[in-house]
Amino acid sequence: MIFWGIQLHTDLDPGSKKIKYILSGDGAGTIFQINDVTGDIHAIKRLDREEKAEYTLTAQAVDWETNKPLEPPSEFIIKVQDINDNAPEFLNGPYHATVPEMSILGTSVTNVTATDADDPVYGNSAKLVYSILEGQPYFSIEPETAVIKTALPNMDREAKEEYLVVIQAKDMGGHSGGLSGTTTLTVTLTDVNDNPPKFAQSLYHFSVPEDVVLGTAIGRVKANDQDIGENAQSSYDIIDGDGTALFEITSDAQAQDGIIRLRKPLDFETKKSYTLKVEAANVHIDPRFSSRGPFKDTATVKIVIEDADEPPIFSSPTYLLEVHENAALNSVIGQVTARDPDITSSPIRFSIDRHTDLERQFNINADDGKITLATPLDRELSVWHNITVIATEIRNHSQISRVPVAIKVLDVNDNAPEFASEYEAFLCENGKPGQVIQTVSAMDKDDPKNGHYFLYSLLPEMVNNPNFTIKKNEDNSLSILAKHNGFNRQKQEVYLLPIVISDSGNPPLSSTSTLTIRVCGCSNDGVVQSCNVEAYVLPIGLSMGALIAILACIILLLVIVVLFITLRRHKNEPLIIKDDEDVRENIIRYDDEGGGEEDTEAFDIATLQNPDGINGFLPRKDIKPDLQFMPRQGLAPVPNGVDVDEFINVRLHEADNDPTAPPYDSIQIYGYEGRGSVAGSLSSLESTTSDSDQNFDYLSDWGPRFKRLGELYSVGESDKET
């Protein structure tokens, strides 16, 4: 088959058989359709090259009736020819770009790209040309490469910061009839430091009280800069003026202004105003634009000082005074002075802060500030005294000032030297003449400027001491030496050597210290072994350990003997019961008052009666009888009607005739009267008056309870008389 145009043709004789054409492959029956009689092929749908550029089909001639192939199938390709049916597109638009302000002509900004779906090989359907529709005369574009450049030099961001550029891409090489597409490009000018700072005003006025705290912000100045970011940062300095030492200026990075602060105290009375010259300069300078500079500006600042009521000012920030420790009371130690710095000049009153002088050792004159001594001083107790003096304005008590005053107590020679410690020297019996027995040193509580220097001597009456002598050493100590040998502790065990110690003060002071020298027994090499005299009386051959053992045995024997005697004595003693266990001697005590005759439960007299005594059997409970006591028949008192007098007489008679009773009476006599009672004693014991002389009416004056007691006694007396 030969494909010709859009018709298929077979080489077979058309008259021999009836031929039918069939079509298969890409798009057969859906996009392409064949006339089975003529073989014409035509498209039944619109073709789009951009969707599918070519189709592969297979055609074959078959028998009309049997559909048997009359010849082999033929494959052919249908290519879709392109036409200019797609406009250019900017797939990444819209675009954004930046370029520094003040850029030179032709500075590249960015480039854009458009695409065309048409066939770039066939014709000019895909040949694009770029142009700018809006954005001239500021920017230009290369027609073929689409590179955008600046078309004007020195574009100023402060004049206009942002530009909108419309870009067109047209196919067919830009000729008429071609399709086109557009996009937008936003160009932003970035800032460069091309503008210097500029103060909003050339003169600033501020006022500040003279008592303002150091570091306080007095005012702010600001230099405006049309640039932004770091290009607008400025540093502030004081470059001239009469207050450069009193004021300082710092930069506020956030607000981009300068803060004027006080660095030293102000004094209205000294100077009432100051003038400063302040400069603001850019921190980051671009050398490309240095010709547009200088990038700095100056302004004048005038500061007026306002008067304020200030506290007193001392003539010195601290005071150091010195006083001797023997200074007389009320003597002047020193003086502090203060003044009111204000024009009104208020009088000043001085006082001592007693929290710093709790012992009130010092006083101060309220008018002139002279400090005097109130109590005696002792340098050895305290060398320094630190007090605080207060100065107060009389016209305004709220204005006060304080100043520390250090008082140093100077030393005087008021302490005599003495031994540095308690010394006890040991002298060997076998010592040699001239041997150093002890080295002593002295101490003095005083503190002379040139240090201590002590003089040692013996008492005048002991200068010619036959046993000992002294020797002064270079280190201000003293050595005691023995004059001879042959010391014997049996003759004299202890020697007392008084030593006079003098200092070098003016006047010098001295004291006498006594050194105790003990004579001891020593070994051949001088080691002390024993310093007791008793060592001589030890038997020869007995050691100290043996003697201690003997003494311990003797003490143990003595303890055994004492224990044995004590046990024998306890064994022979009669088993006498304790007094508080004897029913005859019990005293029953109550913490409340009795109810008199009406109180029938307070005390039962029957408790005095031994239950065994009712039957006549009264054994003694205070001894252990050796013989069996046979009870005697006696009167059997009636339990409900006890006669106390008769009961006591019977018990006395039995005790006197009891052979087992001890040879002493067991009746206890209580003759002790209580003390401290305003009522006196109610007992009739040891009374010098008879019962008839007693008058109990006075008990009524002591209260209801004693009144009842008096009535009972009165009734008893009246019954006896009756």
Side-chain angles (χ1 to χ4, degrees), residues 9 30 75 156 163 186 301 314 367 468 478 492 541 594 611 614 617 719:
H9 181 69
T30 57
E75 184 180 83
D156 193 358
Y163 296 86
T186 302
V301 178
F314 283 95
D367 297 325
F468 307 101
L478 180 71
Q492 186 171 349
I614 300 176
F617 178 71
D719 292 342

Side-chain angles (χ1 to χ4, degrees), residues 430-670:
N430 56 357
K432 299 179 180 180
Q435 180 181 358
V436 176
I437 302 172
Q438 180 73 39
T439 299
V440 299
S441 60
M443 59 167 290
D444 194 331
K445 295 180 180 180
D446 296 321
D447 187 17
K449 294 181 179 180
N450 298 325
H452 292 289
Y453 182 79
F454 300 117
L455 299 175
Y456 301 92
S457 62
L458 298 176
L459 290 177
E461 60 270 20
M462 299 189 67
V463 172
N464 297 321
N465 189 299
N467 299 315
F468 307 101
T469 184
I470 59 175
K471 177 184 177 183
K472 175 68 181 298
N473 300 320
E474 295 181 357
D475 60 354
N476 220 17
S477 62
L478 180 71
S479 296
I480 292 87
L481 293 81
K483 281 189 173 182
H484 60 82
N485 57 1
F487 288 92
N488 191 334
R489 49 181 159 163
Q490 276 189 316
K491 295 181 180 180
Q492 186 171 349
E493 180 185 6
V494 177
Y495 293 88
L496 300 179
L497 182 64
I499 299 175
V500 179
I501 309 173
S502 303
D503 59 21
S504 57
N506 186 18
L509 297 179
S510 63
S511 67
T512 301
S513 298
T514 301
L515 177 65
T516 301
I517 303 174
R518 189 176 299 276
V519 181
C520 303
C522 303
S523 61
N524 294 330
D525 54 357
V527 178
V528 176
Q529 292 182 337
S530 175
C531 296
N532 297 324
V533 178
E534 288 78 4
Y536 278 97
V537 301
L538 293 177
I540 299 176
L542 283 180
S543 63
M544 182 64 68
L547 180 61
I548 293 175
I550 293 173
L551 292 176
C553 292
I554 295 173
I555 293 173
L556 180 61
L557 291 175
L558 290 176
V559 170
I560 293 174
V561 170
V562 171
L563 289 176
F564 179 76
I565 295 174
T566 303
L567 292 175
R568 289 291 303 273
R569 181 176 298 175
H570 280 287
K571 184 176 180 181
N572 295 332
E573 287 180 354
L575 299 177
I576 300 175
I577 62 175
K578 295 182 180 179
D579 294 342
D580 55 357
E581 296 178 357
D582 192 350
V583 70
R584 296 169 300 169
E585 299 172 1
N586 278 352
I587 298 176
I588 300 175
R589 298 177 177 87
Y590 291 86
D591 291 336
D592 56 353
E593 296 292 340
E597 291 179 344
E598 299 176 359
D599 188 0
T600 60
E601 298 179 357
F603 181 72
D604 187 3
I605 194 63
T607 57
L608 292 175
Q609 179 180 352
N610 192 330
D612 297 333
I614 300 176
N615 299 325
F617 178 71
L618 299 171
R620 295 299 301 269
K621 294 183 178 181
D622 54 347
I623 63 173
K624 182 178 181 180
D626 296 329
L627 300 174
Q628 181 66 36
F629 175 71
M630 299 301 295
R632 297 183 300 272
Q633 297 293 330
L635 297 176
V638 181
N640 295 331
V642 179
D643 188 345
V644 177
D645 188 24
E646 183 180 356
F647 171 75
I648 294 176
N649 291 330
V650 171
R651 295 299 299 273
L652 287 174
H653 178 75
E654 293 176 352
D656 293 338
N657 297 295
D658 189 354
T660 62
Y664 57 83
D665 292 335
S666 61
I667 297 178
Q668 299 285 339
I669 298 175
Y670 301 95

Side-chain angles (χ1 to χ4, degrees), residues 334-347:
Q335 183 179 13
V336 298
T337 58
R339 64 178 181 84
D340 183 7
D342 299 320
I343 298 177
T344 55
S345 186
S346 171

